[in-house]
Amino acid sequence: AAERQGELRKALAAYERIVLADPGNTQARAEYERIKALLEPATTHYQIGFGLQYECNVELAPHGGKSDFASQLTFRVDDERHIGTTAWRSSLQLYGDWHLHTRQADFLYGNASTGPVYTMVNGWRLHPTVNAETGFADYSFLFYAVGLGADIETVGAGWLRGMSCGV
């Protein structure tokens, strides 16, 4: 009743009392986890990474067997919010590497994924995704791909915290 009136905190407290009184009640546990997920605030995380490397595999070097220096830059955004009563997660990642002498070895890559997040029993979550990615080598188009994927994850402790699969 509290949820129908839009009072999610009261509904969460009611389900929490039910779960404490009857820990084996899987339906109450599932509803508790679902409402708890609805109360989580929207979050956006940004990550920037950079690095330098020295490449010395002269047998495979396309520039006459010389070693080379390269730099990398990555940028990632992860966003999670609610659209209505559904949690929604999206991510974007961009990567590039640049070589000092071997410009034809430069590589650019980007991927994006988005999809709903469904809360299941005991804190497990299912996140089906639609994915897209593209890559460029030597500043020329190399590939693109689209696909479907899914992540299964838990927020609890333990050795198994998640699994991913994709097509």
Side-chain angles (χ1 to χ4, degrees):
E3 184 180 2
R4 282 192 299 271
Q5 294 175 356
E7 298 183 28
L8 294 179
R9 294 199 184 283
K10 287 183 181 179
L12 182 68
Y15 282 120
E16 185 175 33
R17 286 191 300 275
I18 293 170
V19 170
L20 288 173
D22 183 10
N25 188 333
T26 57
Q27 181 181 1
R29 166 73 74 186
E31 291 300 312
Y32 171 80
E33 295 294 341
R34 183 182 63 79
I35 292 175
K36 184 178 167 186
L38 285 173
L39 288 170
E40 291 177 357
T43 59
T44 303
H45 298 278
Y46 301 93
Q47 181 179 7
I48 296 175
F50 57 91
L52 298 171
Q53 70 185 26
Y54 177 71
E55 298 176 351
C56 61
N57 190 348
V58 294
E59 292 180 14
L60 298 178
H63 58 292
K66 297 179 185 174
S67 299
D68 199 0
F69 288 94
S71 61
Q72 304 89 27
L73 180 65
T74 61
F75 176 72
R76 182 177 176 104
V77 178
D78 293 305
D79 184 76
E80 192 161 337
R81 60 190 59 248
H82 289 90
I83 299 175
T85 59
T86 303
W88 199 269
R89 184 182 300 159
S90 302
S91 68
L92 170 71
Q93 181 176 352
L94 303 172
Y95 169 86
D97 65 21
W98 298 270
H99 293 77
L100 184 62
H101 300 294
T102 318
R103 303 304 300 190
Q104 67 269 25
D106 292 352
F107 182 69
L108 302 171
Y109 172 80
N111 70 27
S113 66
T114 189
V117 180
Y118 300 110
T119 302
M120 302 181 301
V121 180
N122 293 330
W124 285 90
R125 294 179 180 181
L126 173 64
H127 174 47
T129 59
V130 174
N131 311 304
E133 62 184 333
T134 188
F136 294 81
D138 190 20
Y139 303 95
S140 297
F141 176 77
L142 182 61
F143 72 92
Y144 72 92
V146 294
L148 302 173
D151 296 324
I152 299 173
E153 60 194 34
T154 183
V155 293
W159 64 272
L160 181 61
R161 299 194 101 185
M163 297 178 283
S164 297
C165 64
V167 213

